[in-house]
Amino acid sequence: MEHYQPPAWRRSDPWYALNMAQMTLRRRENVAGDFYVDSTCIDCDLCRQIAPETFTQIGEQSAVHRQPETPGAEFAALKALVTCPTASIGTSRNHSAKAAINAFPELIEDNVYFCGFASESSYGASSYLIVRPEGNVLVDSPRFVRPLARRVADLGGVRFLFLTHRDDVADHKDWASHFGAERIMHYDDMGRAHAGMERVLRGREAVPIDHDLLAIPTPGHTRGHMVLLHRDRFLFTGDHLQWSDARQSLYASRSVCWYSWQEQVRSVERLLDYEFDWVLPGHGRRKGAPAPQMRQYLESCIARLKLIDHS
Ligand code: SF4
């Protein structure tokens, strides 16, 4: 059987050299055929978001439920392959992943992009790029790989690296030093790994970063968690708030609330002071809806969260 040969950049990248999907670890839940997921999957959900035609959740991991049958489905599956934080997606045939690699950052709407290339150290969190004439903003850190750094450079580089909280910082040092970016983080989430942050925010009041960027402290998931509001339209929510396709609602997760659930519910409630029509989370699904509809989603979410045990 012919085996997938990674392109030169992957072979020379030490991360990939150590992290290749392995046929011997192929999950038996995959349907037969070219693409597969191996048992190193950490169930981050990104492949299911990027290529739902191909990947689904079986048990507590992903698996291929249908092999790609069209060029579009294959392209999506390859984008999932390059995004997977643990290199758990493999193929038995040889493919060029060049187009999939160059697809990131991928436009979501207007000037906001999804970065792909998730990092295992942030548990496969999504990161985003805001492209602005005044200087771009990277929201949380993707894996630092040269092809993505080149594409980000083509889009104007990075002026600010906004870190929503301590868990999703990944390769922040590499991104900051490569682009001379100013990293922004909340004091209450800082530890030894975050030494050298260029801007440290304190307290519970919202802080304007620029005329179109507002940092809003949202303690709960962690003590120093923040969300970022851009142009009263795009709310980057880290691990504070996300959309669930299954529930068709916004929600916050009690089971991964590390600091204070009571505080987290209060922080979600404070978002009623703002207007936005996109929720762009680190984990979970993103959602776009007209602002009045988004407000209704938020109000219903708060009502449900208040019913959850605070102890
Ligand atoms: S992207 Fe990778 S780690 Fe995440 S769910 Fe898919 S196979 Fe698993």
Side-chain angles (χ1 to χ4, degrees), residues 123-142:
Y123 211 79
S126 294
S127 56
Y128 303 94
L129 183 73
I130 308 172
V131 174
R132 314 154 62 236
E134 305 86 347
N136 297 345
V137 186
L138 197 53
V139 182
D140 289 327
S141 170

Side-chain angles (χ1 to χ4, degrees), residues 37 41-48 62 80 84-86 88-89:
V37 176
C41 166
I42 57 171
D43 201 26
C44 76
D45 185 49
L46 281 177
C47 60
R48 306 188 298 257
S62 283
C84 177
T86 44
S88 304
I89 300 171

Side-chain angles (χ1 to χ4, degrees), residues 201-209 213-217 227 270 274:
L201 307 185
R202 294 169 194 258
R204 300 287 170 94
E205 295 302 314
V207 179
I209 305 296
L213 298 168
L214 185 69
I216 306 169
V227 300
R270 277 201 295 274
Y274 304 96

